[in-house]
Amino acid sequence: MFFWNSSIKVSDSGVLKGYTDYHCHLLPGVDDGVQKHTMTIDLLNLMMQHGVGEVYFTPHVMEDMPNTPESLGKVYDEVKQMIAQEPCREMTIHLAAENMLDNYFDIARAKQLPLPDNHLLVETSYFTPPYNMEGRLQEIMASGIYPMLAHPCRYQYMGEKDYERLREMRIHFQLNLPAVSGLYGTEVQKKSFWLLDHHYYSITGTDTHSLKQYQAFLDTKLPRKRVKQIEELLGS
């Protein structure tokens, strides 16, 4: 019983060994994430030291950050050239995007930067849903790509019935690992536990925006029960 209720430091838990991070903001200077190319390299090297093998850069695409596949691709190519002489060259990196469901959202543009298996990472405001949210999600699916809702446990307007309704619509959910370790607070953590218990998550990421944030995540603790659930999710 003691073992079941105890916790373990993220950096010691083993969940990052061979890990694929499907959500992070490491593409420099394009959003509210990493701002310098050198910091991108430092973060990738640190991730690799902890066992991460594959990373998807998912910069924001929204009204306040009107990135395009072309502009993001240019920066991504610069990063690829820089890491060629770094230890992190052994990692596999990809370019995707995190798309806000706002007035800037465009399906044709968004589909140029998908996640694997024809999924599209989407998000909303933390506080209020976008107008006609279900209709917009259905429109995405009708276009032939599957919405992957980023960090659902962080949306304050969502509760259990909302998650159930979205699952009925066949919307997939992405887990932010720092939510499970309590980095976003106890309420978000409780929601992440509920979603884990109901097997609602499909993929995971760290949503890393800075070296400081990633180090803080490594230093937090995961309940051992949740480590087991995360391992099952990663192995599915």
Side-chain angles (χ1 to χ4, degrees):
M1 182 64 68
F2 172 78
F3 175 82
W4 187 251
N5 289 327
S6 65
S7 299
I8 185 169
K9 197 173 177 182
V10 170
S11 57
D12 296 329
S13 68
V15 298
L16 298 178
K17 299 297 182 184
Y19 183 69
T20 297
D21 193 330
Y22 287 102
H23 181 179
C24 64
H25 296 269
L26 269 60
L27 198 66
V30 299
D31 60 9
D32 59 345
V34 171
Q35 295 302 306
K36 296 181 179 180
H37 289 65
T38 53
M39 190 61 69
T40 298
I41 302 302
D42 290 344
L43 261 164
L44 287 173
N45 284 331
L46 178 61
M47 287 178 166
M48 189 188 71
Q49 290 170 19
H50 286 275
V52 178
E54 195 167 354
V55 174
Y56 283 79
F57 295 170
T58 54
H60 289 292
V61 177
M62 60 174 70
E63 288 180 295
D64 293 341
M65 302 170 194
N67 292 307
T68 66
E70 294 76 20
S71 64
L72 295 174
K74 181 179 179 181
V75 181
Y76 178 66
D77 287 341
E78 294 171 357
V79 170
K80 287 196 296 184
Q81 291 179 10
M82 286 190 66
I83 69 173
Q85 304 302 319
E86 297 287 337
C88 58
R89 66 182 180 275
E90 298 178 11
M91 300 176 72
T92 302
I93 63 171
H94 310 269
L95 177 61
E98 181 182 18
N99 301 275
M100 178 69 75
L101 295 178
D102 60 12
N103 292 328
Y104 185 69
F105 179 74
D106 177 80
I107 293 177
R109 179 178 60 232
K111 287 170 69 172
Q112 296 180 53
L113 293 174
L115 287 176
D117 300 323
N118 206 28
H119 282 91
L120 188 68
L121 190 65
V122 298
E123 67 170 337
T124 79
S125 162
Y126 289 147
F127 310 107
T128 57
Y131 172 73
N132 191 28
M133 179 175 175
E134 289 191 8
R136 302 188 79 175
L137 292 171
Q138 289 170 343
E139 185 180 1
I140 294 171
M141 288 187 284
S143 76
I145 197 165
Y146 307 102
M148 176 72 70
L149 186 63
H151 42 63
C153 60
R154 299 190 73 182
Y155 301 125
Q156 295 181 18
Y157 65 89
M158 284 190 184
E160 294 174 8
K161 291 191 180 299
D162 299 296
Y163 300 137
E164 290 168 351
R165 172 59 182 157
L166 290 172
R167 285 288 289 186
E168 289 173 359
M169 293 176 57
R170 309 182 113 182
I171 306 302
H172 290 188
F173 294 160
Q174 175 258 315
L175 166 65
N176 274 10
L177 290 184
V180 185
S181 69
L183 199 61
Y184 308 136
T186 55
E187 287 304 311
V188 173
Q189 185 183 43
K190 284 167 59 178
K191 285 186 174 184
S192 75
F193 290 172
W194 188 91
L195 290 161
L196 274 170
D197 288 339
H198 287 76
H199 307 285
Y200 276 14
Y201 287 118
S202 298
I203 61 172
T204 73
T206 61
D207 203 359
T208 298
H209 281 65
S210 69
L211 186 61
K212 180 179 179 181
Q213 180 195 28
Y214 194 75
Q215 189 61 64
F217 164 61
L218 292 173
D219 292 338
T220 57
K221 292 185 177 182
L222 292 167
R224 289 185 185 269
K225 174 183 177 180
R226 306 304 170 179
V227 171
K228 179 176 175 58
Q229 290 177 314
I230 292 168
E231 289 174 343
E232 290 173 350
L233 173 59
L234 296 178
S236 62

